[in-house]
Amino acid sequence: MEAWQKPVKCLGIACSPRTKGNTTALLEKALEGAREAGAETELLALGRFKFAPCIACNGCFTEGQCVVPDDMQVIYQKLLEADRIIIAAPIFSMGLCAQAKAVVDRGQRFWATKHILKRPVIDQNSLLAARRGIFISCAGSDLPDVFSGAERVVRYYFKMLEVEYLGSYLYRQVDEVGAIHRRPEALQEIFQAGKDLASK
Ligand SMILES: Cc1cc2nc3c(=O)[nH]c(=O)nc-3n(C[C@H](O)[C@H](O)[C@H](O)COP(=O)(O)O)c2cc1C
C-alpha cells in the first residue's frame, strides 16, 4: 500500500480511573464513528500505565526528550504517531482529573522542543503534518463554567503537540457510572464527531 493510502490513525486517551465510566463510554463511541469513516483506532486507557507527574528536572531542555524512564515513554510515541487525538477526561475538582493533568504536564518535552530548542514537534514534511483533535468531558454538576479550566488546558496541550483543536464535547449532569447511557443524543453526537474527525 502506498503511504498516501494509509488509514488515518486515531488515538483515544481514556483518562478516567473508572474503566467503565462515562467519558470512556463516549470515547468508545467516538472511536466507533472514526472506524466507520475508515480510521485505524486505538483506545489507550491511562489506568494500564504507570507514570509519575512531571518533576520539573528540565532534563527535556537539552534534547526535547523526557528523561524519566517510565510508561510515559510509550504514550509519547503513540501521541507522536497519531493523525487524530481524542482526549477523554472527567472533571475532578473543577478541572481535569489528575491522570489527564499528569499527561499534560509531562508534555513539557514538547513545549521545550518548540520554545527552548526552537524545533518543530512534528516533521512538517511528514504525512502527520495536519494533526487534529477533540476533547470529551463529563461533569456531575450543571455549573456554567465547570469545563472552562479543563478546556483551556487541553487547548494548550494540543498546541504543544502541534494538533489543531477542533472542539470540545462537554456533558453536564452526568455523574454515576453508566449515566451517559441515558443520554442517547450525546452518544449519537459523539459518534458523529468521531466520524467527522476521521474524515477531515
Ligand atoms: C474526585 C472527584 C471530583 C469531582 N469533582 C467534580 C466537580 O468539581 N464538578 C463536577 O461537576 N463534577 C465533579 N465530579 C463528578 C464527575 O465529573 C462525574 O462523575 C463524571 O461523570 C465522571 O466521569 P467518568 O465516569 O468518566 O469518570 C467529581 C468526581 C470525582 C470522583
Side-chain angles (χ1 to χ4, degrees):
M1 188 187 264
E2 298 295 326
W4 58 267
Q5 288 176 305
K6 279 189 182 157
V8 161
K9 272 192 195 176
C10 183
L11 176 70
I13 313 228
C15 303
S16 173
R18 303 201 292 197
T19 51
K20 299 208 179 309
N22 297 310
T23 50
T24 303
L26 286 161
L27 176 60
E28 282 167 350
K29 264 284 170 213
L31 293 178
E32 206 182 305
R35 279 192 298 279
E36 194 168 285
E40 182 184 298
T41 65
E42 180 174 5
L43 187 151
L44 199 149
L46 289 187
R48 295 205 318 265
F49 296 86
K50 288 210 179 319
F51 56 88
C54 176
I55 53 170
C57 66
N58 293 353
C60 57
F61 285 16
T62 315
E63 273 306 320
Q65 305 291 333
C66 177
V67 297
V68 178
D70 62 11
D71 290 353
M72 187 60 70
Q73 301 297 338
V74 179
I75 300 173
Y76 287 142
Q77 206 46 45
K78 291 183 183 293
L79 285 165
L80 288 168
E81 287 169 3
D83 304 293
R84 302 287 182 273
I85 297 176
I86 307 177
I87 309 277
I91 296 301
F92 282 5
S93 310
M94 296 303 283
L96 280 181
C97 65
Q99 293 81 353
K101 186 59 164 54
V103 170
V104 171
D105 291 349
R106 289 287 298 274
Q108 183 73 345
R109 60 162 286 197
F110 304 120
W111 180 89
T113 301
K114 282 168 85 90
H115 300 286
I116 305 273
L117 303 171
K118 316 273 185 218
R119 295 183 198 151
V121 169
I122 298 292
D123 174 4
Q124 295 305 304
N125 296 319
S126 81
L127 288 175
L128 295 177
R131 305 198 322 146
R132 300 189 177 98
I134 60 172
F135 173 47
I136 297 173
S137 191
C138 290
S141 75
D142 67 349
L143 291 173
D145 63 344
V146 71
F147 296 110
S148 56
E151 198 181 3
R152 189 162 180 219
V153 173
V154 172
R155 274 173 182 267
Y156 167 79
Y157 184 57
F158 279 154
K159 204 168 173 198
M160 274 202 288
L161 270 177
E162 291 178 356
V163 168
E164 182 190 352
Y165 165 79
L166 292 189
S168 293
Y169 295 84
L170 310 171
Y171 303 97
R172 292 179 172 78
Q173 291 183 295
V174 177
D175 206 355
E176 76 279 5
V177 171
I180 198 66
H181 294 291
R182 293 195 298 273
R183 301 272 288 269
E185 76 294 347
L187 294 165
Q188 186 50 44
E189 179 183 51
I190 206 67
F191 175 84
Q192 189 59 45
K195 204 169 159 181
D196 292 346
L197 179 68
S199 315
K200 274 177 188 144

